[in-house]
Each structure stands twice: as structure tokens, then as C-alpha cells.
Amino acid sequence: MERVTNLASERPVVIFSKSSCCMCHTIKTLFNEFGVNVAVHELDEMPRGREIEQALSRFGCPTLPAVFIGGELVGGANEVMSLHLNRSLIPMLKRAGALWV
């Protein structure tokens, strides 16, 4: 848990992902299109990635991607897309210091 918390706080936006996951790719692309400098942790490419994935599940995010904004768990792809569609995502990114425009 502590490792997840530390990793999730390293930048304003942190995504825990798997390199082969299409929804992970979609969410990473969304943030890149906004110009957000995201910290991405590809769990399938990390030596202890499986442990982190299990910790994320205990943290409240049972699926990937797991998105943290401002050190707080936002959720997965559904939650991020819902925030985007109801126009809450950009203000959240600005408050976290991930966007300056």
C-alpha cells in the first residue's frame, strides 16, 4: 500500500497500466492529448508489478488503468471518461497542477 501511495504522489497525474491493455492506452492517449505529463507505471513490465496490482485492488481500484490525480485515486477508465464527459476532468487537472492553461 505504501509503495502505491508513494508512486501515486510522484506527479500530479499517475497511471498504473499494462502495456497490452487497450483501455489503458485510451486513457494515456487522452491525457497526452491534453498535454499532461503523466507518470505511467506499466505493471506488466515492472519486477513487482503483480504486487502493486494487488495493492491497487485493496486500495479500491480492481481494474486497470488506475488513475491518480493530485495523489488521490480517481478510478479507472469509466470514472475518467465520466469526468471528461461531464467537463469535470480539466478543472481537476488544473487544481492538481497538471495543466496550466
Side-chain angles (χ1 to χ4, degrees):
M1 268 315 218
E2 184 178 336
R3 180 150 187 218
V4 169
T5 304
N6 290 339
L7 291 171
S9 299
E10 70 184 7
R11 285 208 195 131
V13 178
V14 177
I15 300 175
F16 292 92
S17 174
K18 282 194 176 175
S19 59
S20 60
C21 170
C22 65
M23 291 310 294
C24 295
H25 175 75
T26 300
I27 296 302
K28 290 183 286 191
T29 301
L30 176 69
F31 284 110
N32 285 331
E33 290 292 320
F34 289 154
V36 175
N37 186 14
V38 179
V40 178
H41 298 284
E42 300 289 359
L43 299 181
D44 56 335
E45 297 175 357
M46 296 174 67
R48 300 178 85 185
R50 184 72 184 131
E51 290 175 25
I52 294 172
E53 189 173 355
Q54 291 170 345
L56 286 166
S57 183
R58 289 190 300 274
F59 209 85
C61 197
T63 62
L64 295 176
V67 178
F68 287 77
I69 298 177
E72 298 294 321
L73 176 64
V74 171
N78 287 342
E79 291 80 11
V80 171
M81 292 308 294
S82 292
L83 287 168
H84 179 49
L85 292 173
N86 73 26
R87 299 175 186 244
S88 300
L89 184 59
I90 297 292
M92 183 182 289
L93 291 170
K94 287 179 181 177
R95 282 192 305 274
L99 285 177
W100 295 275
V101 179

